[in-house]
Amino acid sequence: MAVVRAKVIEVDVKTGEIVETEKEIEIPDEEPPQPQTAAVDAETILNVLKRKGIITDEDIQNALQQGDNE
Amino acid sequence: MKAMPVVQKFTQLSDVDFKTYFGKAGKYLIVKDDESGLTTSLVSSNTVYPELLSEVNVASNVTSITFNGLNINNDGAYLIEVKMVSTTAGWKHLRMYINGDTNESNYRLRSINARRGTITVENYNLAWVLGYQYLSHAYYLMTRLHNTATITRGFAYLTNTAYNPPHFLYYLQNWYLANHTNVTSLTFTSTETNGIRVGSRIAIYKYKIF
């Protein structure tokens, strides 16, 4: 984290007021930290997501195709 | 004996505030949460339908956008749409902080991502929600923030999907673990100063869910 002076927008959801201002804020690190726990087997997670109806085999194939199309 | 005035219109009822209904054509009438009267809504009581709470269309580059005045205990759940415009090359990352908490150790992130035909599983202590990289590209995110504090610790949000066609696709499950009982603000911060560029948009909808 680094503290910098930067432009920010603050919105009050209740009143709808949108204010653009400049203040000191914390900027997160650019690079994500390394995983802190062991990676979970991909097939296990995909099976859970498919069972819950969140993704389908077609979703996975589309994702693979996106990579192949690059 | 004094005759009671004849009420011929709904808005002539003594407990009806005409201003409440002015300009609300096409909306439903529902009982207020405190049962003190009626108010208008986009949805009937048994319909799940997102109602726009607030949106920001970025007109000049900023580093952070904060939505204050939220109340997930009243609102049920939040549907969050993000469009990030990248006008510089190189990776920038967007974090979503709950209640102003920038301590990344309070967040968990599990992702399944597909890039260049390879599916990868990742697991971080991180408030990360979206990465954006290429010049003149737009990156999209839609996530649902659920109030899980009543049944377990923290707040869970499920993202389907964060993507930049055709380069990558992410499915995310995030979890905010700090001991809070409500979500009152959401802050979106870029890792790049002024990295939330002109043309970007963040919108928050509320919708009731189980």
Side-chain angles (χ1 to χ4, degrees):
Chain A
M1 285 279 185
V3 177
V4 300
R5 191 160 185 84
K7 286 204 314 184
V8 302
I9 292 174
E10 292 183 339
V11 185
D12 187 324
V13 170
K14 291 176 181 168
T15 64
E17 184 182 27
I18 299 176
V19 177
E20 189 175 310
T21 184
E22 198 172 305
K23 62 193 295 188
E24 286 191 345
I25 62 168
E26 288 181 316
I27 299 281
D29 297 329
E30 186 75 35
E31 295 298 327
Q34 291 301 306
Q36 295 192 351
T37 56
V40 179
D41 177 66
E43 190 175 356
T44 301
I45 291 187
L46 287 173
N47 284 336
V48 170
L49 291 176
K50 281 197 290 187
R51 193 165 63 242
K52 289 178 176 291
I54 295 167
I55 61 173
T56 64
D57 286 331
E58 188 180 359
D59 291 329
I60 297 169
Q61 290 304 316
N62 286 340
L64 290 169
Q65 192 175 343
Q66 280 189 341
D68 292 340
N69 286 343
E70 283 195 281
Chain B
M1 183 176 171
K2 189 176 178 181
M4 295 294 290
V6 177
V7 175
Q8 294 182 315
K9 293 182 179 178
F10 172 74
T11 50
Q12 290 173 330
L13 291 169
S14 59
D15 63 346
V16 169
D17 176 7
F18 173 75
K19 293 176 185 172
T20 302
Y21 308 100
F22 184 77
K24 301 293 175 67
K27 293 193 174 180
Y28 290 92
L29 282 177
I30 60 170
V31 177
K32 291 180 180 176
D33 289 340
D34 62 3
E35 301 178 343
S36 63
L38 298 175
T39 187
T40 59
S41 172
L42 282 172
V43 299
S44 62
S45 59
N46 59 353
T47 305
V48 176
Y49 189 93
E51 181 176 344
L52 181 64
L53 274 180
S54 184
E55 68 176 323
V56 170
N57 291 288
V58 177
S60 66
N61 301 338
V62 296
T63 304
S64 180
I65 298 175
T66 297
F67 294 86
N68 293 310
L70 297 171
N71 185 338
I72 201 169
N73 289 334
N74 282 351
D75 294 336
Y78 294 125
L79 183 67
I80 300 158
E81 284 183 323
V82 175
K83 173 190 175 187
M84 295 296 293
V85 173
S86 179
T87 58
T88 57
W91 277 107
K92 287 83 64 180
H93 301 279
L94 189 70
R95 305 292 210 275
M96 186 176 85
Y97 297 120
I98 292 176
N99 298 342
D101 186 352
T102 57
N103 183 355
E104 306 264 0
S105 65
N106 285 331
Y107 297 84
R108 299 288 183 275
L109 160 63
R110 293 166 188 138
S111 79
I112 301 171
N113 65 74
R115 299 184 63 203
R116 300 186 186 279
T118 301
I119 292 181
T120 308
V121 177
E122 293 171 297
N123 192 3
Y124 298 114
N125 286 6
L126 205 62
W128 185 94
V129 288
L130 184 66
Y132 50 115
Q133 178 184 17
Y134 293 122
L135 190 67
S136 304
H137 275 244
Y139 296 73
Y140 300 90
L141 162 73
M142 180 173 284
T143 192
R144 304 189 305 269
L145 175 59
H146 297 276
N147 185 354
T148 52
T150 54
I151 54 173
T152 183
R153 190 157 59 106
F155 299 90
Y157 37 117
L158 183 68
T159 298
N160 58 343
T161 61
Y163 69 98
N164 163 236
H167 300 291
F168 67 69
L169 168 67
Y170 271 82
Y171 290 99
L172 304 175
Q173 184 214 330
N174 300 63
W175 195 12
Y176 177 57
L177 288 167
N179 191 24
H180 285 264
T181 57
N182 200 358
V183 172
T184 57
S185 75
L186 292 175
T187 298
F188 299 84
T189 302
S190 172
T191 53
E192 181 187 54
T193 302
N194 293 328
I196 301 177
R197 301 282 174 165
V198 172
S200 299
R201 174 180 183 267
I202 299 178
I204 298 179
Y205 302 80
K206 69 173 182 178
Y207 69 113
K208 294 285 186 183
I209 189 167
F210 50 85

